[in-house]
Amino acid sequence: MITTGQLTMGAVQIVSKDSSEVIGHAYTVANGAGQLQRWLLYRNPQNAFDVRPPAASTAGLSLEEWKSKVPGLWRPGSYYVFAQADLYRYGETHDGETWTRIPPASRLPPPTYYPAGPRQLDPDGRILDVLQGNFRGLAFSVLGLSNPNSVEYWMLPSGYVPAGGGATARVATGSRAASSLQAFVDTANQSWAPGCTFAITGCVNYRGDKPPVQR
């Protein structure tokens, strides 16, 4: 099972890039073809946030402990996102497609949604930079937190360490635009190389004054 995705296993803290304000938490477990992330966000990060090690109050929690803690962490109007990240590494073969290049948008695997259904990121036509030390990845969103379902595409470089354990990752709007998913794939292929991972993340998005029943 591939688990080396965007986030480290267990809890992490989500911090505003501009103000260092804590704007949420996330909890990740290995699941399916990658990892299932549960994001609790107090506001829309608007494509600018850091993923940092967990707060003392969430460090070391089991999944059941995380679920029981959510009501105490909740604030009215918060978001709760189930984000299933299916991971594809350079050189692997999936459904007859060998990933020495990221496949065209028309042949990308569909996202997986959890719970079974028909983001942290918002669609604005910009390619996002995923920054960690000297490493630079890319991300792109189709639909966003205001939609019941959305999809994110992340290209993680060789050497990237899942964020929130011993390493921080920063997401920020980059200087490049993408008019379509295919335009993003074309840009990502310029950096696609051995050791890279591509994440297709299906998000189920909830917002309310009270936490969701299923968490």
Side-chain angles (χ1 to χ4, degrees), residues 26-210:
Y27 192 94
T28 301
V29 297
N31 188 67
Q35 51 180 228
L36 174 60
Q37 308 157 3
R38 291 166 165 86
W39 294 69
L40 194 173
L41 299 170
Y42 299 133
R43 63 172 175 80
N44 191 327
Q46 298 181 327
N47 299 335
F49 60 91
D50 291 350
V51 179
R52 297 185 181 177
S57 60
T58 60
L61 295 180
S62 68
L63 177 56
E64 291 307 311
E65 289 170 334
W66 159 264
K67 291 178 181 179
S68 67
K69 200 169 187 67
V70 165
L73 294 172
W74 197 261
R75 300 175 188 173
S78 293
Y79 298 88
Y80 200 79
V81 180
F82 289 102
Q84 172 63 38
D86 294 336
L87 306 174
Y88 305 88
R89 296 191 188 201
Y90 181 97
E92 292 181 339
T93 299
H94 299 275
D95 296 326
E97 190 89 48
T98 300
W99 285 60
T100 49
R101 284 184 64 79
I102 302 169
S106 61
R107 298 208 305 270
L108 285 174
T112 302
Y113 294 102
Y114 180 97
R119 250 151 98 48
Q120 320 83 259
L121 305 186
D122 275 330
D124 64 359
R126 307 294 296 183
I127 294 176
L128 305 181
D129 289 329
V130 182
L131 307 171
Q132 186 181 81
N134 294 325
F135 300 111
R136 182 184 297 269
L138 303 170
F140 186 76
S141 181
V142 178
L143 303 180
L145 276 175
S146 61
N147 302 97
N149 301 92
S150 56
V151 189
E152 300 168 2
Y153 299 87
W154 300 65
M155 198 286 292
L156 304 175
S158 176
Y160 177 89
V161 177
T168 294
R170 170 164 290 184
V171 175
T173 301
S175 59
R176 291 169 289 186
S179 59
S180 65
L181 176 56
Q182 183 58 55
F184 171 72
V185 168
D186 291 342
T187 299
N189 264 320
Q190 296 172 20
S191 304
W192 186 246
C196 290
T197 299
F198 195 81
I200 300 176
T201 305
C203 300
V204 177
N205 306 313
Y206 166 89
R207 188 182 190 188
D209 289 337
K210 296 182 179 179

